[in-house]
Amino acid sequence: MLYKSLKLAAALATSTMLSSAALAGELVINTDTSDPAPKAAFEALIKGFEAEHPDVTVTWNLFDHEGYKTSIRNFLTADAPDLANWYAGNRMLPYVNAGLFEPVDDVWEENGLKDSLASSVGSMTIDGKIWGVPYTYYQWGVYYRKDIFDEHGIDVPTTWDAFKAAGATLTEAGITPITIGTKYLWTAGGVFDYLNLRTNGYDFHMALGKGEVPWTDERVVATMNNWKELIDAGFFLENHAAYSWQEALAPMVQGDAAMYVMGNFAVAPLRDAGLTDDQLGFFQFPQINPDVAMAEEAPTDTIHIPANAKNKEDAKKFLAYLARAEVQTEINKTLGQLPINKNSEVGDDKFLQAGYEMLSKTDGGIAQFFDRDYPAEMAKAGMEGFQEFMVKPERMEQILERLEKVRARVYK
């Protein structure tokens, strides 16, 4: 399919990067944005850029998700495009360490991005340098039954003690404080992330993800003890290991559970199941340790300049364009997610508004999510351990010792 100067090449999982020698003024972009909304967003993004830069011809190589994951290291090494999309935080660390991404501190400095994209500086920085430009994310936090809170006189908790007190009130009323389905493990990773971010802060959380901290460290134990307090108090849905995250929505819809630690993608199915916006609310996961800044969980999509790119000059122009407030506004209207530029506009959906306000003001760092921030083998072992811990919290010491053995193997 050919759009004037926009060439779209589909790439399958087993394919290799299409060879394309960079011409003067040709900008080659590789992405895995093949789902309908991301694809439409990138089509509009590229057309907008070309309209402002008629001397630049954009060649867009569009991969499916699995094909991209298996091909990215190869094409970054052997036949690099000028731009490639990926993810923030520790997910970009292997490519930074391998010298396959280019630092773009100059783009940030020249365009004032440390101010306009301030919430993402930490997740885009490795070894004191900035390695790309983020363009979309979505919030995690606590979704709750506002009508149930109101009925039982519970205010939105902002502190750990208030959070536990809210749970005690709900438990006394026969309502499970937090629904969760851990059948596919990752939901437990989200709970761990927030407890660890609130107990120890972003820098420690990232150091743990990089394998720099033992799982038996007393600070990890402190996180797990905070989690154990909730488990022992009956905070979580019984038999959660038998439920997927979608199946665990039912108790919340039925009024048998009052909260869910979850991403914003849960809103649509909760609405589809019959909950109104008068019944459903959102709040920031409460503070635990007042000595650490409030970091958030917000998986972030990014674009990077490969170190071996042929047309870095136009690639930097594209990154500057991508970072602009009005451009991020339009991208995220199509994506149904949140712009990172604090000067962008967000639609009138109350949950997008709440997430944008929270994330734009975040100064404690943005984590990406457990299975993005950890290597695959460590992430799998960690989430298996969390599920086991939620069922058998008395096994905490053995679980952490097992995870420490995995760490020693994975990061050597």
Side-chain angles (χ1 to χ4, degrees):
M1 187 176 292
L2 191 62
Y3 300 94
K4 297 180 181 177
S5 58
L6 170 62
K7 183 171 65 181
L8 174 62
L12 301 176
T14 57
S15 69
T16 57
M17 170 62 193
L18 296 175
S19 294
S20 177
L23 307 172
E26 182 187 21
L27 185 67
V28 180
I29 303 176
N30 286 10
T31 77
D32 67 344
T33 53
S34 55
D35 292 339
K39 181 179 176 183
F42 264 78
E43 285 177 349
L45 173 69
I46 291 169
K47 287 181 180 179
F49 175 78
E50 287 188 319
E52 290 193 15
H53 299 276
D55 57 326
V56 179
T57 299
V58 176
T59 299
W60 177 25
N61 297 312
L62 181 62
F63 290 68
D64 69 272
H65 298 301
E66 293 307 311
Y68 199 79
K69 285 191 289 186
T70 58
S71 300
I72 182 171
R73 183 174 285 273
N74 289 337
F75 69 62
L76 288 177
T77 303
D79 190 7
D82 302 307
L83 292 162
N85 78 306
W86 195 240
Y87 308 101
N90 286 349
R91 279 292 293 275
M92 66 181 183
L93 181 64
Y95 304 109
V96 171
N97 287 345
L100 296 174
F101 281 164
E102 180 96 351
V104 292
D105 300 76
D106 53 345
V107 176
W108 282 65
E109 291 294 337
E110 291 166 13
N111 295 278
L113 303 188
K114 287 186 177 178
D115 176 55
S116 60
L117 308 182
S119 66
S120 67
V121 172
S123 64
M124 297 305 302
T125 301
I126 295 174
D127 294 334
K129 296 179 181 179
I130 301 176
W131 298 92
V133 168
Y135 62 92
T136 186
Y137 53 17
Y138 63 88
Q139 83 267 22
W140 271 65
V142 185
Y143 293 83
Y144 74 107
R145 283 290 300 270
K146 185 176 182 298
D147 54 335
I148 293 176
F149 272 45
D150 291 344
E151 179 183 351
H152 295 281
I154 302 171
D155 293 328
V156 169
T158 58
T159 67
W160 187 234
D161 287 343
F163 188 56
K164 292 185 290 184
T169 299
L170 291 164
T171 301
E172 288 174 15
I175 299 168
T176 299
I178 298 176
T179 191
I180 188 170
T182 64
K183 182 177 181 179
Y184 299 114
L185 303 177
W186 57 266
T187 50
V191 175
F192 172 82
D193 282 349
Y194 263 113
L195 289 167
N196 196 43
L197 288 167
R198 294 289 183 265
T199 303
N200 296 305
Y202 177 81
D203 289 343
F204 177 85
H205 189 70
M206 290 297 104
L208 186 64
K210 294 175 187 175
E212 296 171 356
V213 178
W215 279 88
T216 50
D217 187 283
E218 62 182 9
R219 293 164 291 183
V220 180
V221 173
T223 293
M224 302 302 282
N225 280 331
N226 284 332
W227 200 348
K228 189 172 184 296
E229 278 193 73
L230 302 185
I231 296 168
D232 290 346
F235 252 68
F236 296 100
L237 186 69
E238 291 185 5
N239 300 318
H240 52 79
Y243 299 110
S244 68
W245 78 267
Q246 296 100 324
E247 291 167 338
L249 294 169
M252 191 167 171
V253 172
Q254 295 158 2
D256 297 324
M259 295 180 281
Y260 207 162
V261 181
M262 187 47 66
N264 197 57
F265 50 82
V267 170
L270 286 169
R271 286 170 169 160
D272 291 344
L275 291 184
T276 68
D277 284 3
D278 289 336
Q279 294 174 293
L280 191 59
F282 171 83
F283 63 87
Q284 184 179 34
F285 196 96
Q287 182 184 74
I288 296 178
N289 181 354
D291 294 329
V292 300
M294 297 278 277
E296 300 302 332
E297 190 102 294
T300 305
D301 292 351
T302 54
I303 296 185
H304 305 265
I305 300 177
N308 296 325
K310 301 176 181 69
N311 187 359
K312 295 179 182 179
E313 181 180 352
D314 288 333
K316 290 180 179 182
K317 292 177 184 176
F318 190 92
L319 291 185
Y321 177 78
L322 174 71
R324 279 168 26 189
E326 73 278 10
V327 173
Q328 294 210 354
T329 295
E330 292 305 314
I331 292 172
N332 284 282
K333 278 182 184 176
T334 304
L335 294 173
Q337 295 191 165
L338 295 170
I340 294 160
N341 191 308
K342 69 179 186 180
N343 302 311
S344 295
E345 296 178 3
V346 180
D348 58 5
D349 179 274
K350 79 172 196 175
F351 296 102
L352 288 178
Q353 289 279 357
Y356 185 62
E357 181 179 2
M358 179 182 76
L359 294 176
S360 296
K361 295 178 179 178
T362 295
D363 60 2
I366 299 288
Q368 295 305 297
F369 197 75
F370 192 84
D371 61 4
R372 285 193 182 193
D373 280 330
Y374 291 73
E377 185 180 353
M378 189 75 246
K380 181 175 183 291
M383 293 185 294
E384 289 172 347
F386 300 152
Q387 183 202 55
E388 179 184 349
F389 174 71
M390 291 184 70
V391 177
K392 299 285 187 181
E394 66 275 9
R395 295 181 184 171
M396 179 175 72
E397 184 175 347
Q398 298 97 304
I399 291 168
L400 292 179
E401 288 175 352
R402 187 172 75 232
L403 294 183
E404 175 55 20
K405 290 178 181 177
V406 176
R407 182 188 76 94
R409 181 174 69 250
V410 168
Y411 296 94
K412 65 182 179 181

